[in-house]
Amino acid sequence: MNSIWKLFYDSGKPHEEILPDEWSKLEGMDRMVVIRCFRPDKLIPAVQDFVVANKGQAYIEPPNFDLAGTYNDSNCCSPLIFVLSPGTDPTAGLLKFADDLNMGGNKTQTISLGQGQGPIASDMIDKAIRKGTWVVLQNCHLATSWMPALERICEETIVPGNTHRSFRLWLTSYPSPHFPVSILQNGLKMTNEPPKGLRANLLSSYVSHPISDPDFFECCTKPVYWQKFLFGLSFFHALVQERRNFGPLGWNIPYEFNESDLKISMRQIQMFLDDYDEVQLEALTYLTGECNYGGRVTDDKDRRLLMSLLSIFYSRDLVEKDCYELCEGGLYYVPAHSPHQEYVKYLRKLPICADPCVFGLHSNADITKDNQETNQLLNGVLLTLPRQTSGGGKSPQQVVEELAEDILSKLPQNFDLQEVVEKYPVKYEESMNTVLRQEIIRFNRLIIVVRVSMVNICKALRGQIVMSSELEDVYNSMLVGKIPTIWAAKSYPSLKPFGSYVADLFARLDFLQKWIDNDAPTTFWISGFYFPQSFLTGVAQNFARKYQIPIDFLGFEYEAMDEKPEDGAYVTGLFIEGARWDRENMVIGESLPKILFDPLPIMKLKPGEMAQFKHEDIYVCPVYKTSARRGTLSTTGHSTNYVMSIELPSDKPQKHWINRGVACLCQLDD
């Protein structure tokens, strides 16, 4: 790479740099295209600069939440819609506002929608229309089947002449494709996003009820312990919310932790400190981690992370030390016992943008977060992309047809299952034959779907058959570089764009064909399996049958070696995220700057009895099929994206890597 371009690539703020050489003449959208290619993580600030330059600063700053102003703009026939975001609940503020307007008590009725609540909500609205009271329908996104009925009520019942002037219909809902468009068009929409950033989140907790109330802040019989735990819990609450911004690196599933979790945990701390002479750390840890916050957590790896983060704050060191540090550097700590205003003063001195190390993450996590925001922006732009072009160049129809023909020319024929069965018959001592056959059956189904869809899309573009909605989805997906829905339904999990997915599919088919032609490989490409779990089961079965050991007693040990194993198997194709493989010391180590993923060396899966494993100086690292990590919760209690956990040697405590969000992936998104 040219040294000038390398300086641009390594810059902390490339969107503010002058492009090298003649590229410096580029402006506006053209300049953003270059930034997107070289530093996609900084596209968002580049877009913000573009908007400010062309429209003004006001277009990138969210307006202040003004409930009174919105109400004044409304009328009895216009629903007022709260668009919810994680971590916010406008109900308390709305009820207080109702009290201020003398609409509290029986004049405001609230109901949380869900199964069977629709008819009750209809009766509430009918009565309120006549009496001139308010109705608050919460969580409309949970009542998708009743939304058409609500649409009819808004169009036919809540009309001028039939509605009391004081009546108001308030709705709360997360963004949902099932929310009626007509209600959105006729209603007043508002959102109150939670404070962004660790500092803002902490300040929000300390300047609002109940911590801001002196009667609450000073109410405990053990004030020193009470205020330490209060600060630690508030910090923990901000931490678990802000980790959502880092995507799967922060949480496998983005949970909606909110103020109720924080408040009930505060009350429990107060109660336990008042009622017991000793600090009941174990009980508080269980109530806060397993019940209050943990009650929302469905993924077992997320639960492990939650308890690891909580152990930072619910610890003996916090109780015993005057100034307990929360991360390296000395900037973040639990202040010594002091008045409320001193805590607020300390929080105001914290940096607006927190370093990822505060969350237990590597500095590279900021790149992951920024890339995620860029992808969300571009995916939104793709939804508005016009399908027609004018002027020179190929038309979209020509592009799709040529692409389909190219895929058809390279797509191999279906595997001959009968030939494979004859060459690799079912054997008691060789389970890999069964694994191969199962993989071939799965890939044959996918090959058929790909071939038929490509043949039919070509015919539809030539006018030989009707363009169905299914084919139209294939057409649109190919244009914007996404995997068609009908492919995904028969495919292994993948987040790759269309071109990379096709190349990956051909590589997998080639892997299986070489296995068929040349016998089982010395090293298995674990990422190439449609269902990697069946391969792991096959390896364990071979060992169990050879040594007459019940398979339920078996597990795997992992080590990097280079000779053919007598038992077990070699696997390759795994990538580690959140850390790297230290090839000198043969342990996992910290990521290198700007390198988000690191390939693991060839690993030997050594089956053995779990009772004999040492489990010392290791990190139990989960392996996922894709970087999304989350999937459907299966009957095993694991996500369907989860493959297995491998024990990687480590010279740091396991808690360090848990907080880093370290995991192995079978494939990358690119």
Side-chain angles (χ1 to χ4, degrees):
M1 182 187 289
N2 184 299
S3 58
I4 302 178
W5 280 103
K6 189 174 189 310
L7 289 173
F8 174 76
Y9 175 78
D10 290 335
S11 170
K13 296 181 178 180
H15 57 287
E16 297 178 0
E17 300 284 349
I18 298 174
L19 294 179
D21 305 327
E22 295 184 359
W23 296 84
S24 59
K25 299 176 183 177
L26 294 181
E27 296 179 350
M29 199 72 71
D30 295 332
R31 175 182 166 81
M32 285 194 290
V33 171
V34 177
I35 293 172
R36 165 69 180 87
C37 294
F38 275 84
R39 286 291 299 276
D41 57 308
K42 294 301 179 185
L43 182 62
I44 296 291
V47 170
Q48 290 176 335
D49 291 346
F50 177 78
V51 171
V52 169
N54 289 273
K55 299 292 290 183
Q57 184 75 20
Y59 284 86
I60 67 167
E61 295 177 349
N64 293 328
F65 183 66
D66 184 8
L67 195 53
T70 306
Y71 173 78
N72 292 333
D73 291 339
S74 70
N75 59 62
C76 60
C77 298
S78 300
L80 294 102
I81 307 161
F82 287 100
V83 181
L84 300 175
S85 51
T88 59
D89 183 2
T91 308
L94 175 57
L95 294 178
K96 185 178 183 303
F97 178 68
D99 288 335
D100 296 341
L101 295 185
N102 198 28
M103 292 297 293
N106 294 332
K107 293 183 179 180
T108 298
Q109 290 184 291
T110 66
I111 183 172
S112 183
L113 295 180
Q115 189 172 8
Q117 298 297 92
I120 302 173
S122 297
D123 291 340
M124 281 185 179
I125 294 172
D126 286 338
K127 293 175 183 176
I129 286 173
R130 295 192 299 271
K131 294 181 179 179
T133 55
W134 290 3
V135 174
V136 183
L137 303 184
Q138 298 173 289
N139 302 321
C140 293
H141 59 284
L142 300 179
T144 54
S145 61
W146 188 70
M147 285 297 100
L150 178 62
E151 188 173 23
R152 285 194 300 273
I153 290 171
C154 291
E155 291 178 351
E156 300 170 8
T157 307
I158 307 176
V159 293
N162 188 39
T163 306
H164 195 288
R165 289 183 62 185
S166 298
F167 168 78
R168 291 293 186 277
L169 177 62
W170 302 82
L171 308 173
T172 75
S173 176
Y174 279 95
S176 168
H178 304 290
F179 196 91
V181 175
S182 64
I183 297 179
L184 281 174
Q185 291 173 336
N186 297 327
L188 278 79
K189 297 157 290 285
M190 57 199 131
T191 187
N192 185 18
E193 298 215 351
K196 284 194 172 184
L198 190 71
R199 173 179 176 269
N201 206 310
L202 280 165
L203 272 171
S204 175
S205 295
Y206 264 77
V207 299
S208 59
H209 185 80
I211 299 181
S212 60
D213 184 353
D215 292 338
F216 178 81
F217 188 73
E218 299 167 2
C219 66
C220 186
T221 56
K222 299 183 181 69
V224 176
Y225 295 161
W226 163 238
Q227 289 172 21
K228 281 185 175 183
F229 272 112
L230 208 55
F231 187 90
L233 178 63
S234 300
F235 205 105
F236 169 74
H237 178 74
L239 210 64
V240 296
Q241 288 189 306
E242 290 300 314
R243 278 186 73 109
R244 278 196 302 252
N245 298 327
F246 296 93
L249 205 61
W251 297 104
N252 288 355
I253 299 170
Y255 303 100
E256 295 169 15
F257 302 114
N258 58 39
E259 294 297 316
S260 64
D261 303 320
L262 176 64
K263 288 176 181 177
I264 188 63
S265 299
M266 287 178 184
R267 297 292 182 187
Q268 288 168 347
I269 292 172
Q270 179 190 12
M271 181 181 70
F272 272 80
L273 289 177
D274 284 343
D275 293 351
Y276 295 91
D277 294 331
E278 295 292 325
V279 177
Q280 303 296 312
L281 263 182
E282 292 77 11
L284 288 172
T285 299
Y286 179 81
L287 288 170
T288 303
E290 298 287 355
C291 301
N292 303 337
Y293 286 86
R296 301 179 184 276
V297 177
T298 55
D299 187 285
D300 65 323
K301 304 301 179 295
D302 282 341
R303 184 174 291 271
R304 179 179 74 162
L305 170 62
L306 183 79
M307 299 307 293
S308 176
L309 292 173
L310 186 61
S311 69
I312 299 172
F313 305 95
Y314 282 26
S315 73
R316 290 290 167 193
D317 285 343
L318 179 136
V319 174
E320 295 167 1
K321 290 185 177 180
D322 289 336
C323 188
Y324 175 57
E325 289 195 6
L326 298 172
C327 77
E328 298 174 0
L331 186 60
Y332 295 90
Y333 56 88
V334 178
H337 174 59
S338 54
H340 176 268
Q341 60 267 27
E342 289 300 315
Y343 286 94
V344 175
K345 189 176 178 181
Y346 163 70
L347 292 175
R348 293 192 188 281
K349 292 179 181 178
L350 295 178
I352 295 175
C353 297
D355 190 274
C357 75
V358 183
F359 307 99
L361 298 166
H362 189 271
S363 57
N364 281 351
D366 267 343
I367 301 176
T368 302
K369 175 171 67 73
D370 294 341
N371 280 337
Q372 179 178 268
E373 291 178 350
T374 296
N375 291 336
Q376 288 175 343
L377 171 69
L378 296 180
N379 287 336
V381 171
L382 284 177
L383 293 174
T384 65
L385 186 69
R387 300 289 178 250
Q388 301 296 327
T389 58
S390 58
K394 296 178 182 177
S395 68
Q397 291 84 356
Q398 287 176 306
V399 171
V400 171
E401 186 174 0
E402 288 180 9
L403 188 55
E405 289 175 347
D406 182 58
I407 291 171
L408 285 171
S409 68
K410 296 175 181 175
L411 187 68
Q413 293 300 312
N414 290 12
F415 294 109
D416 188 334
L417 183 58
Q418 188 58 39
E419 177 189 338
V420 172
V421 169
E422 292 173 0
K423 189 172 181 180
Y424 299 95
V426 176
K427 289 183 179 180
Y428 180 81
E429 66 276 6
E430 185 48 86
S431 296
M432 284 299 141
N433 292 356
T434 305
V435 172
L436 176 61
R437 185 169 61 177
Q438 291 172 342
E439 287 290 305
I440 281 171
I441 291 171
R442 294 187 182 103
F443 275 104
N444 273 349
R445 291 177 189 150
L446 177 56
I447 292 171
I448 290 169
V449 169
V450 172
R451 181 178 291 109
V452 170
S453 63
M454 293 297 95
V455 168
N456 287 343
I457 198 71
C458 289
K459 288 182 178 179
L461 291 173
R462 295 169 190 154
Q464 296 171 342
I465 61 172
V466 176
M467 177 74 85
S468 65
S469 58
E470 196 175 69
L471 286 176
E472 189 174 1
D473 174 73
V474 175
Y475 174 81
N476 290 333
S477 297
M478 293 173 71
L479 271 183
V480 298
K482 291 187 174 181
I483 304 171
T485 305
I486 57 171
W487 290 20
K490 297 291 183 183
S491 173
Y492 48 88
S494 179
L495 298 177
K496 292 179 180 292
F498 184 84
S500 298
Y501 174 84
V502 172
D504 179 62
L505 173 60
F506 289 162
R508 291 171 186 250
L509 298 178
D510 183 58
F511 164 66
L512 289 177
Q513 189 61 57
K514 288 178 178 176
W515 185 346
I516 295 169
D517 295 341
N518 306 318
D519 207 347
T522 304
T523 302
F524 290 91
W525 180 33
I526 193 170
S527 306
F529 287 96
Y530 190 110
F531 190 62
Q533 291 93 325
S534 65
F535 163 71
L536 298 171
T537 303
V539 175
Q541 275 183 344
N542 282 349
F543 186 86
R545 290 169 177 174
K546 180 177 179 181
Y547 295 101
Q548 301 294 303
I549 301 172
I551 195 170
D552 291 345
F553 294 178
L554 295 182
F556 287 108
E557 288 187 299
Y558 308 84
E559 60 179 283
M561 297 177 69
D562 55 8
E563 76 274 2
K564 184 173 180 178
E566 182 179 346
D567 297 312
Y570 279 144
V571 296
T572 186
L574 295 178
F575 300 87
I576 190 167
E577 181 183 20
R580 68 182 175 93
W581 180 254
D582 185 341
R583 284 160 176 78
E584 291 184 8
N585 301 312
M586 299 301 281
V587 295
I588 54 172
E590 299 290 1
S591 300
L592 298 176
K594 292 190 173 66
I595 299 178
L596 307 183
F597 306 96
D598 191 46
L600 280 180
I602 295 173
M603 303 295 291
K604 179 185 176 183
L605 271 64
K606 294 167 49 182
E609 293 187 60
M610 287 185 286
Q612 298 178 2
F613 294 167
K614 293 181 180 179
H615 304 296
E616 295 176 355
D617 300 324
I618 51 94
Y619 167 58
V620 180
C621 181
V623 179
Y624 297 97
K625 296 175 185 176
T626 69
S627 66
R629 301 195 189 185
R630 70 182 295 183
T632 308
L633 197 65
S634 63
T635 52
T636 62
H638 294 297
S639 159
T640 49
N641 207 333
Y642 173 80
V643 178
M644 60 177 172
S645 290
I646 63 176
E647 296 181 353
L648 297 176
S650 170
D651 55 7
K652 286 186 171 65
Q654 184 159 203
K655 178 178 165 182
H656 177 84
W657 304 115
I658 292 174
N659 295 352
R660 282 276 195 266
V662 175
C664 285
L665 310 176
C666 288
Q667 57 174 300
L668 304 182
D669 296 354
D670 299 328

